[in-house]
Amino acid sequence: MNAIPPVSTNPRELLLVSGASGALARQTIEQLLRHRPDAPLIAATRHPDQLADLAARGVSVRFADFDRPASLDAAFAGASRMLLVSTNTTEGSARRIAQHRQAIEAAQRQGLRHLAYTSFATAGAAQPGPVAADHAATERLLRDSGLGVSILRNAFYAEMLRMTLPLACASGELPCAPGRGRMTWVARADCAAAAAAALLDGFEGRRTCTVAGEESLDAHALAALASEVLGVPIAAVETPPDQLAQAWARCGASPGMAALFAGIDGATARGEMEIRGSDLRALLKALPGAEPTSLRAFLQAHRAALRAV
């Protein structure tokens, strides 16, 4: 990653965050309001009515729908630096990539100088998997755009543990694929802080940053840590890959979630989810007092939800 300069953004430079009704964007906006309360800010969203509280705090809430490109020029007007939060659609890659293309083209038309994008940790792989493929395609669009770009390759959210660990607490078992593959997690709040930093640190060129936690745990280490913090005995149970979905179903996962967890377990066992090196701490230097969240601290903060069944 390129060296990160100290905060140097013009305090009157207009910043924009897309997808502002979503959890990551909303947390990013809160970070911006905390660390640069004097910076004018646009919250772009399909649901302006849900952000009346931000409007009351001086944020310019604007309607923007990436499926309606005519809405984007007015939404982006005047902005200099933008966070493009990757969209969440269940209708396939083609729509998601088209949405991102519309946003990037609108940013070009409106003369934005810098665009930060929330990508995925493995988007740079030679053959990105299903989770990363849309991000890889968007990264190619950004490289061809001529814009200044900060690509933020986020690791898996630690919040996914709020889906798996309650099942493990109830059953006493944490299914995993054989082997000692490790997963590197990151708290969503840390991704939001990194995104805010990318808007505020004044970087003008092009960079790719890995946003991940500083610990990589295999399933046995995760089970041991969760047992200690949550006060519930949990054992990692190595399970043949073709039986993982059934194992998660026996723990109480729905069919769709069981298949998702099994796929992640398999990728972890193959070493695809371990991230070696993170730029998170360097990015957070732009936010005085910000520090990465340890996995132990995350589990402690969410203890009640993680124990719930």
Side-chain angles (χ1 to χ4, degrees), residues 43-55:
T45 175
R46 289 179 301 161
H47 307 289
D49 57 306
Q50 297 179 7
L51 300 181
D53 62 314
L54 289 180

Side-chain angles (χ1 to χ4, degrees), residues 82-268:
M82 169 183 176
L83 174 65
L84 171 57
V85 177
S86 54
T87 62
N88 184 15
T89 177
T90 59
E91 297 181 19
S93 295
R95 181 185 176 198
R96 191 184 201 192
I97 295 168
Q99 290 172 331
H100 293 170
R101 179 183 292 108
Q102 300 283 19
I104 293 166
E105 290 176 351
Q108 292 173 297
R109 290 194 300 271
Q110 291 303 312
L112 271 80
R113 294 205 321 274
H114 199 84
L115 188 151
Y117 171 67
T118 59
S119 188
F120 186 65
T122 59
Q127 294 183 324
V131 175
D134 295 354
H135 295 292
T138 302
E139 289 188 12
R140 289 192 291 272
L141 293 175
L142 288 168
R143 285 193 291 271
D144 294 339
S145 71
L147 297 168
V149 173
S150 292
I151 292 173
L152 306 174
R153 288 180 176 165
N154 294 338
F156 257 110
Y157 289 158
E159 278 74 8
M160 180 169 286
L161 295 172
R162 296 186 58 167
M163 293 187 281
T164 57
L165 286 184
L167 301 176
C169 285
S171 66
E173 296 184 356
L174 181 69
C176 61
R180 302 304 293 266
R182 297 171 180 267
M183 168 74 84
T184 310
W185 305 95
V186 67
R188 181 189 283 120
D190 286 353
C191 294
L199 293 181
L200 292 176
D201 68 11
F203 183 82
E204 295 288 355
R206 292 187 162 200
R207 60 184 170 181
T208 299
C209 308
T210 299
V211 181
E214 298 177 325
E215 309 155 273
S216 296
L217 278 64
D218 64 25
H220 296 274
L222 174 61
L225 177 61
S227 297
E228 177 189 346
V229 174
L230 305 180
V232 178
I234 300 171
V237 180
E238 296 191 14
T239 306
D242 62 349
Q243 298 176 29
L244 271 168
Q246 297 95 310
W248 276 111
R250 287 194 298 272
C251 291
S254 68
M257 287 295 100
L260 173 64
F261 299 158
I264 294 171
D265 289 336
T268 301

Side-chain angles (χ1 to χ4, degrees), residues 30-55:
E30 294 297 339
Q31 289 281 355
L32 292 170
L33 291 172
R34 174 186 174 189
H35 289 279
R36 188 62 69 81
D38 56 338
L41 178 61
I42 299 167
T45 175
R46 289 179 301 161
H47 307 289
D49 57 306
Q50 297 179 7
L51 300 181
D53 62 314
L54 289 180

